[in-house]
Every structure is written in structure tokens, then in C-alpha cells.
Amino acid sequence: MKVLIISDSHGLTDELQEIRNRHESETEAMFHCGDSELPADHPSMQGFVSVRGNCDYEQKYAEELIEEAGGFRFFIAHGHMHNVKSTLMNLKYAAEDHGAKIVCFGHSHVAGAESAGGILFINPGSIRLPRMRTEKTYVILEIQNGSAAVTFYQQDGTPVKGMAQRFELS
């Protein structure tokens, strides 16, 4: 089972459609973690389950969502309401409250993945304005037999060297 995770596209449209078209046939779900700066009904957002970021002014987006995919519960939030630039603790508590094992978030534009307290945290970075790295990134999460492979891709679909990680899901 594969999930596409993207965030902080900040107005990009062609790039979102290109990434969606590249992966939609191989993924079970596609999550946008906010700051698309696009209306919910924009053609570039079709197929994405999306939350509202601090730069999204459309009220149709939820602040956070719980989604099921591949037998796992995902907690999806942009992160600005959870202070993610300082700590992941608030996201951890929210995920625990919802029984989620995987958290997808953005806001910081810093690509990364880590596991803490039995919860996998994934920030796909930004395809518009990356921070801490030069690559404009998104993620494909692949779950098989209780193992999660997190692969970061550049906007053009090339895997980012040295960023792939594997985690055991309990």
C-alpha cells in the first residue's frame, strides 16, 4: 500500500498535477498537508485529501483530518496550530487522542521523518520553498507487513539520495 504525501505547494498548480498524475495509479491515498493556497475545488487539488494551512483562506478545508488507509489511521494537519516548528509533542498528543499511528504534517517546510512513542511523523517538506535542504520534496510512504518505507522525491520524481528511511509500525 502506498500513500502520496505533499505539503506547502503555495500556489503551484502544474507541479501538483504532474506529481498527482505520476503517482495516482500506484497510490491508495493522496494527502496534501496544507498551504496549497488554492480553492478546494481547483483542478490541481482533485484527488487530494487536504487540510487548511495558515496561508489557506478557503474555509472548505478542515483544520485536521483522520483518514484510514492500508489498515492504518492517519492524523493529517498542517502543523501551525500544533506549534510544529518547536515541538512534535502537540501532534503526538493529538494523534494519540485519535488513535492514529501515522502523522502527516507540513508548515516548517523541513523534510523529515521520525518515529516517537509508536507514532510515525512525516513532513514531506515543500515543493515550492524548501528549508534546510535545496530539494523541493514530497513523499511516497509504502507500507508492507508492518514496515513503513518513507521515500522523499524531488519535484521531478527523482528520489532524494540519503533521505529514504524505514520504520517498523506497531
Side-chain angles (χ1 to χ4, degrees):
M1 186 277 302
K2 292 182 181 180
V3 176
L4 167 65
I5 307 164
I6 198 165
S7 190
D8 296 284
S9 50
H10 291 283
L12 295 179
T13 56
D14 294 344
E15 295 84 349
L16 265 180
Q17 290 178 38
E18 182 180 300
I19 291 166
R20 179 192 64 222
N21 293 344
R22 182 182 302 133
H23 297 288
E24 68 184 336
S25 66
E26 67 179 294
T27 55
E28 183 175 312
M30 296 186 296
F31 302 147
H32 194 299
C33 301
D35 276 0
S36 69
E37 294 189 40
L38 298 172
D41 60 357
H42 191 280
S44 297
M45 294 302 291
Q46 298 307 304
F48 285 100
V49 171
S50 185
V51 293
R52 185 170 180 250
N54 58 299
C55 294
D56 292 318
Y57 299 104
E58 169 123 7
Q59 299 299 316
K60 292 181 183 176
Y61 291 119
E63 292 290 341
E64 52 191 46
L65 292 169
I66 299 297
E67 292 289 322
E68 304 279 341
F72 288 92
R73 180 169 281 191
F74 289 76
F75 178 71
I76 306 160
H78 183 58
H80 64 297
M81 304 292 282
H82 297 87
N83 203 26
V84 298
K85 290 184 180 180
S86 299
T87 180
L88 296 182
M89 237 8 171
N90 298 324
L91 277 180
K92 181 179 183 299
Y93 294 143
E96 288 173 345
D97 287 347
H98 294 291
K101 288 291 182 186
I102 303 168
V103 176
C104 303
F105 69 102
H107 187 53
S108 69
H109 297 214
V110 178
E114 66 181 86
S115 181
I119 297 172
L120 175 58
F121 298 86
I122 301 170
N123 184 330
S126 172
I127 62 166
R128 178 78 186 243
L129 302 162
R131 294 188 181 125
M132 305 294 287
R133 299 187 66 92
T134 57
E135 301 93 350
K136 298 174 179 184
T137 57
Y138 65 95
V139 161
I140 297 292
L141 168 65
E142 184 172 5
I143 300 174
Q144 285 185 320
N145 302 321
S147 180
V150 179
T151 306
F152 290 84
Y153 289 87
Q154 294 183 61
Q155 185 177 307
D156 68 3
T158 306
V160 179
K161 291 181 181 176
M163 284 198 74
Q165 292 179 270
R166 186 169 293 278
F167 300 91
E168 293 305 314
L169 299 172
S170 51

